Amino acid sequence: MPGLPLSGIRVIDLTWIIAGPTATRYLADFGADVIKVEHEQAVDPIRLGRPIVGDSPTLNNSGFFNYVNRNKRSILLNVRHPFGMDLLKRLIAVSDVVIENFSAGTLASWELDYPEMRELNERIIYCSISGFGHTGRDRDHTTWGPTAQALGGLTLTSGLPGITPAGWGYSFMDHTAGYSAAIAILMALHHRHRTGEGQHIDMSQVEAATVLNGPAVLDRTVNGRSWRREGLPPGNRAWEPAVAPHNTYPCAGEDRWIAVAVTSDAEWEALVRAMGEPDWSRDARFGSNADRLANQDALDEHIAAWTAERDDYDLMALLQAAGVRAAVCQKPGDRVESDPQFAARNWWQSLPHPDMGDTLHDGVAPRLSSTPGLLQRAAPRIGEHTREILSEALDLSEAEIDEFAEAGVFM
């Protein structure tokens, strides 16, 4: 769309599941024409992923798919068909970026790796996202979001002291790899703008996880200390800098919690005043940060007893007014239905979808003052833009498209 930062950039999106679609979601939000290449015989599993609208999943009623694929267009193209592969190559020849997140070697098996893409378009930027990258001993190994987290070291450093690793649960690394890939594509576009040169971006999910482990890696290499030692991982408590109180505490109501972080003696005094200066707060065990750290269990018990009798949002307002860092542990319904900050910034926006009706979407982050991103359309129905794309990008006539359809190129 004219006026958006990436207007005029065409992206051939061969991605699926989460990591790749997360990257192209960012590009589409800022105006890139993201063309999602799909095939009904090998459909993206997220198209069938929950939550769904209706009684049973179809190819077009997944809230999950709608979340990661807004602002994109969809073309049906059977790349196993020789005419289908030819059309894909013709699209690459008139595009700026190709991105995929298959296992390493998949596009090479299609005879469509980076050198072959360069023969089609010497300015092309090819971004591949895989578990280990396209080189090295483990290049052919497969990963999933949680396994990439484990191999990258994040799982071992999560959880509570003295218990087995908890892991991150949801596929955190899929999203992180997607963010990193989007940034890399922007850098490659900038490089091409200066030099005219395209390039291959080799994105490893495991490496994207590993760079988040700086303190643990340094502690091992410099000090020879394992992360999983007494007191580590710290759970909700701070370990660097080591300050207390620093935890989540129960509030009134079912499963309501507030996070409180006190980083100095001045903030501790502010918390004490906000609590009404209870007698226990003047106990010598809590006189300094070092004392509070040595007696965190008792400290947390006292604070929890105080917070448990209070409404979480009222408590957040009270503590913030006193100068204490505090925030409600919001549930999805809190964020969507009642958060005044999100409402003030018009964060939640509705887009119409032909199968799901009006669908609520989170806003575009970050916010650029002159060229902000834009929610233009909900996720595409499968193959919704096939004719439109072939006509616009390749200048094919309706009769030519009909011939391809009769030949089974879109089946």
Side-chain angles (χ1 to χ4, degrees):
M1 183 174 181
L4 294 177
L6 297 180
S7 177
I9 298 297
R10 180 179 290 140
V11 179
I12 301 303
D13 184 351
L14 304 175
T15 68
W16 64 321
I17 313 293
I18 301 174
T22 295
T24 53
R25 181 184 194 258
Y26 270 87
L27 303 179
D29 281 353
F30 286 95
D33 180 17
V34 175
I35 299 173
K36 187 170 180 64
V37 179
E38 302 193 82
H39 181 209
E40 287 184 316
Q41 305 306 312
V43 68
D44 184 343
I46 298 301
R47 276 201 176 272
L48 301 172
R50 295 184 179 276
I52 62 170
V53 175
D55 297 327
S56 59
T58 70
L59 294 179
N60 298 303
N61 68 345
S62 165
F64 199 166
F65 183 88
N66 197 33
Y67 167 70
V68 291
N69 289 286
R70 70 191 189 191
N71 284 336
K72 304 175 187 179
R73 298 197 289 173
S74 170
I75 181 173
L76 279 178
L77 211 56
N78 180 2
V79 297
R80 298 188 181 99
H81 193 295
F83 291 164
M85 178 57 74
D86 179 65
L87 286 175
L88 175 60
K89 289 180 177 180
R90 290 168 67 181
L91 284 171
I92 291 172
V94 295
S95 296
D96 300 281
V97 177
V98 175
I99 178 171
E100 51 90 6
N101 62 311
F102 300 122
S103 298
T106 297
L107 258 64
S109 71
W110 295 2
E111 297 183 349
L112 197 59
D113 58 10
Y114 178 56
E116 288 158 327
M117 284 191 204
R118 286 196 64 194
E119 292 183 7
L120 301 171
N121 182 349
E122 64 179 11
R123 289 168 53 86
I124 198 71
I125 293 166
Y126 166 41
C127 178
S128 59
I129 306 173
S130 60
F132 292 91
H134 283 203
T135 60
R137 182 198 67 179
D138 299 331
R139 64 181 299 273
D140 295 323
H141 290 188
T142 58
T143 60
W144 200 243
T147 61
Q149 295 167 31
L151 288 162
L154 295 177
T155 301
L156 193 70
T157 60
S158 66
L160 298 171
I163 63 174
T164 56
W168 290 66
Y170 185 62
S171 298
F172 178 78
M173 275 320 305
D174 282 321
H175 292 279
T176 303
Y179 304 148
S180 297
I183 294 169
I185 289 169
L186 295 177
M187 289 189 290
L189 286 168
H190 179 64
H191 171 80
R192 193 185 69 179
H193 177 70
R194 291 189 296 109
T195 66
E197 299 173 349
Q199 59 184 298
H200 175 205
I201 300 165
D202 186 5
M203 181 75 237
S204 161
Q205 283 185 272
V206 172
E207 290 172 358
T210 299
V211 299
L212 300 178
N213 282 283
V217 171
L218 284 172
D219 207 9
R220 177 68 179 183
T221 56
V222 176
N223 301 318
R225 297 186 300 191
S226 168
W227 177 265
R228 295 196 71 88
R229 58 187 188 270
E230 185 178 357
L232 291 176
N236 293 319
R237 290 176 172 174
W239 72 281
E240 182 58 41
V243 293
H246 189 288
N247 212 330
T248 56
Y249 302 95
C251 294
E254 183 179 356
D255 199 25
R256 305 301 304 186
W257 300 81
I258 190 168
V260 178
V262 170
T263 63
S264 68
D265 287 336
E267 290 176 11
W268 166 247
E269 290 298 327
L271 175 61
V272 168
R273 289 192 296 272
M275 291 188 295
E277 302 194 18
D279 292 341
W280 63 262
S281 67
R282 299 309 177 190
D283 190 312
R285 293 179 300 167
F286 312 131
S288 67
N289 184 61
D291 296 325
R292 293 190 293 274
L293 285 169
N295 296 282
Q296 281 191 86
D297 289 343
L299 177 64
D300 284 342
E301 287 179 9
H302 282 298
I303 295 174
W306 178 72
T307 61
E309 299 176 353
R310 288 160 174 79
D311 174 81
D312 47 3
Y313 283 97
D314 290 344
L315 189 52
M316 179 174 72
L318 172 69
L319 294 179
Q320 287 285 348
V324 177
R325 296 174 177 88
V328 172
C329 298
Q330 294 195 122
K331 297 180 180 181
D334 300 331
R335 296 193 298 273
V336 175
E337 298 166 9
S338 58
D339 190 301
Q341 178 67 10
F342 282 139
R345 289 172 63 84
N346 192 31
W347 176 249
W348 300 109
Q349 301 176 38
S350 182
L351 293 172
H353 188 281
D355 290 76
M356 295 187 287
D358 290 338
T359 58
L360 205 61
H361 291 256
D362 53 323
V364 178
R367 300 193 179 206
L368 280 65
S369 63
S370 297
T371 54
L374 179 68
L375 298 189
Q376 301 177 64
R377 61 170 74 93
R381 303 179 84 245
I382 190 165
E384 179 180 349
H385 305 97
T386 300
R387 289 180 175 271
E388 175 182 295
I389 291 167
L390 293 176
S391 174
E392 289 179 7
L394 302 183
D395 200 27
L396 296 183
S397 67
E398 285 296 315
E400 290 173 309
I401 297 172
D402 287 339
E403 290 180 9
F404 282 122
E406 292 173 6
V409 171
F410 310 133
M411 296 175 62

